Amino acid sequence: MTENTQPENPTRHLDSLSEALDSGTQHRVRNLLKNLTAAEIGDLLESLPPAKRRAVWEMTDPEIDGDVLVEVNDEVRASLIRDTAPEDLVAAVDDLHLDDLADIFDDLPDTVISEVLRSLDRQDRERLVHVLSYPEDSAGGLMDPDVLTIRPNVNLDVVLRYLRLRTDLPDLFDLLFVVDREGHYLGSLKVTDLLTGNPSCRVADLMETSLKPIPVDMHDSQVAMEFERRDLVSAPVTDAENVLLGRITVDDVVDVIREDAEHSVLTMAGLDEEDDMFAPVVQSAYRRWIWLGVNLVTALLAALVLYAFEPTLDQIVATAVLFPIVMSMGGIAGTQTLTLMVRGMAMGQVSAGNTPALLRKELLVGLLNGAVFSLVVAAIAIFWYGDIPLGLVMAAAILLNLLAGALAGALVPIVLRRMSIDPALAGGVVLTTVTDVIGIVAFIGLATFLLLGR
């Protein structure tokens, strides 16, 4: 019988843990936690209310406490740090890799930071300070400065003896980086080539120069795209003078991809991926006020436009029934285009060179969809009310609003990006306002001039 290798459902872990906590059986909780990784425990802590979170944190194996702190979001991490004694925090982060330590360094209390710095040797302190000097969302903030370097003029046998003398090797160890005496990056040597090559061969004879280094100031989302395009497991990071500074591994890139995906989803609703889902009610409500206020203003704008056509609504009741269809169709069409544009921007697929072609394509799509659905909706309106002019007004309004939605969906993210505003955050609100206002003006405006004049 074959063993089931399917990953377990995280929800099952959460249900089992909650049940064990409710029953008060600590040994069962500890047994459950013992079989989970630091990332899985981090997800569970983010999914638990504060009281249960504190209980689970106290029963987590101290040897992985530091790794768990790295995995949770900023707000949950802050709450766990508050609930942990300083000496326990020092012990928890003592064995972290320098890049992981840098990720949570600013969240630690000053007393803990002082103890941690004292526990590091001079070289590691300098490396940590170096990593902290780069923006968190850059290759420099993502890299691990602990790398293995070799010279091009040594034999493979010398490299193998050097590796055997080391007490440990880096995680995801697939490459050794070749540098000159000044530390300039020259190329890379695959571990597979090291193990299978003739021990008398020189490194220079087997090293590859095709692996281009990643600039230290490259944005982390661009780093993720480089890993995807080049199928990398690890990559060197260099400065402007091509000096090797560290390396980035695919596990860090996976975290970037996940965080970018969470950011895109949550910012469209005005939320932050670093917020605690179990934050106090007043605090959570306050964070949402700004976004709700912005939506209220845009809704009032649409309402004012609608108010200007109140006489039409009073005289032609059918317009009040039908105009939500116009607004909804334009909103959906615009959202489809907006989503494609925001994704294209995130993937680096939208530039000044291809923007005109994208606009033409989306306008043609809007025109085609508008032609099809305007006929469908016009037929429905005529069937309901037996009024052919009303159906023609409906058709014209649908066509205009789908064109407007396509145009706004393509232009809004471009304009917002030039204004240094995140299109994923503000694009939906602006788009909804545009399609609502144009939909109202197109439908009820046409009804006012064409139907009331009959």
Side-chain angles (χ1 to χ4, degrees):
M1 185 173 67
T2 59
E3 183 182 357
N4 183 11
T5 58
Q6 292 297 319
E8 294 191 58
N9 187 347
T11 305
R12 197 170 83 179
H13 289 320
L14 180 59
D15 291 339
S16 300
L17 189 62
S18 297
E19 183 183 340
L21 289 169
D22 291 337
S23 65
T25 52
Q26 291 192 9
H27 71 279
R28 186 181 170 195
V29 175
R30 294 182 190 276
N31 286 336
L32 287 169
L33 295 176
K34 185 171 61 176
N35 297 318
L36 300 178
T37 65
E40 290 171 327
I41 294 174
D43 289 339
L44 288 173
L45 290 172
E46 292 181 356
S47 306
L48 292 170
K52 290 184 177 181
R53 181 183 296 158
R54 283 192 293 270
V56 171
W57 178 240
E58 290 172 0
M59 288 182 275
T60 302
D61 185 352
E63 291 187 1
I64 64 170
D65 278 353
D67 295 311
V68 173
L69 287 175
V70 173
E71 296 294 340
V72 296
N73 65 43
D74 290 352
E75 202 162 279
V76 172
R77 183 185 305 123
S79 69
L80 296 177
I81 288 174
R82 286 195 301 268
D83 294 333
T84 307
E87 60 271 17
D88 293 334
L89 279 177
V90 173
V93 303
D94 186 54
D95 293 328
L96 287 178
H97 293 165
L98 289 179
D99 57 333
D100 290 333
L101 178 58
D103 289 340
I104 66 171
F105 193 76
D106 291 337
D107 298 326
L108 299 173
D110 291 340
T111 54
V112 173
I113 289 176
S114 300
E115 288 295 327
V116 170
L117 290 176
R118 273 197 292 269
S119 69
L120 298 175
D121 59 35
R122 184 179 63 83
Q123 185 181 35
D124 282 343
R125 277 199 301 272
E126 291 176 353
R127 287 176 172 176
L128 179 61
V129 170
H130 201 52
V131 172
L132 290 171
S133 67
Y134 298 108
E136 185 178 354
D137 58 356
S138 68
L142 198 62
M143 73 178 181
D144 184 353
D146 185 16
V147 292
L148 290 180
T149 60
I150 53 176
R151 299 284 174 77
N153 57 346
V154 299
N155 294 337
L156 299 189
D157 183 55
V158 174
V159 177
L160 286 169
R161 283 188 278 118
Y162 162 66
L163 294 179
R164 292 191 189 103
L165 290 174
R166 289 182 60 96
T167 56
D168 62 340
L169 294 174
D171 295 333
L172 297 177
F173 181 46
D174 66 322
L175 297 173
L176 291 106
F177 299 122
V178 186
V179 298
D180 61 17
R181 291 183 179 276
E182 287 75 35
H184 295 102
Y185 173 75
L186 300 177
S188 61
L189 176 66
K190 292 180 180 179
V191 172
T192 53
D193 291 339
L194 172 65
L195 296 175
T196 59
N198 189 327
S200 62
C201 286
R202 292 190 315 145
V203 168
D205 297 329
L206 293 178
M207 75 175 190
E208 295 184 0
T209 58
S210 59
L211 177 59
K212 302 303 179 184
I214 291 177
V216 70
D217 57 353
M218 179 181 285
H219 196 275
D220 59 6
S221 60
Q222 182 64 34
V223 172
M225 281 189 281
E226 290 295 314
F227 267 70
E228 178 189 5
R229 290 168 180 166
R230 295 154 61 181
D231 292 328
L232 300 176
V233 174
S234 65
V237 179
T238 59
D239 63 12
E241 283 73 40
N242 200 40
V243 173
L244 181 67
L245 301 176
R247 70 171 189 146
I248 296 174
T249 52
V250 70
D251 57 330
D252 295 317
V253 172
V254 170
D255 290 338
V256 171
I257 295 171
R258 183 198 65 196
E259 290 166 4
D260 285 350
E262 291 176 352
H263 176 77
S264 297
V265 171
L266 292 174
T267 50
M268 292 183 74
L271 302 175
D272 191 328
E273 66 270 23
E274 297 298 342
D275 290 347
D276 182 1
M277 66 187 299
F278 286 102
V281 172
V282 175
Q283 180 179 332
S284 296
Y286 174 73
R287 286 172 174 163
R288 303 179 192 186
W289 286 351
I290 294 178
W291 201 243
L292 289 172
V294 170
N295 278 273
L296 176 61
V297 170
T298 59
L300 286 173
L301 178 61
L304 285 173
V305 176
L306 192 59
Y307 177 75
F309 293 101
E310 188 175 8
T312 304
L313 294 175
D314 290 339
Q315 296 183 49
I316 307 176
V317 178
T319 57
V321 176
L322 296 174
F323 85 79
I325 299 176
V326 178
M327 295 166 62
S328 174
M329 293 293 290
I332 293 296
T335 300
Q336 291 172 333
T337 303
L338 176 71
T339 302
L340 288 174
M341 291 295 291
V342 171
R343 177 187 177 277
M345 288 178 174
M347 298 292 292
Q349 297 173 342
V350 177
S351 67
N354 64 5
T355 296
L358 279 171
L359 286 175
R360 286 194 299 271
K361 180 254 185 180
E362 290 302 322
L363 281 174
L364 289 173
V365 170
L367 180 62
L368 179 58
N369 286 337
V372 171
F373 286 97
S374 63
L375 294 176
V376 173
V377 175
I380 293 173
I382 294 170
F383 176 77
W384 279 355
Y385 294 100
D387 191 334
I388 294 178
L390 176 62
L392 295 176
V393 168
M394 191 74 177
I398 288 283
L399 179 61
L400 288 173
N401 209 22
L402 261 65
L403 283 171
L407 183 61
L411 287 178
V412 164
I414 295 173
V415 173
L416 290 177
R417 186 169 66 172
R418 289 183 179 176
M419 297 171 63
S420 299
I421 299 174
D422 187 353
L425 176 62
V429 175
V430 176
L431 174 69
T432 300
T433 304
V434 170
T435 55
D436 284 357
V437 170
I438 291 178
I440 293 169
V441 171
F443 181 43
I444 304 184
L446 286 171
T448 299
F449 290 107
L450 298 179
L451 299 182
L452 291 185
R454 289 186 293 178

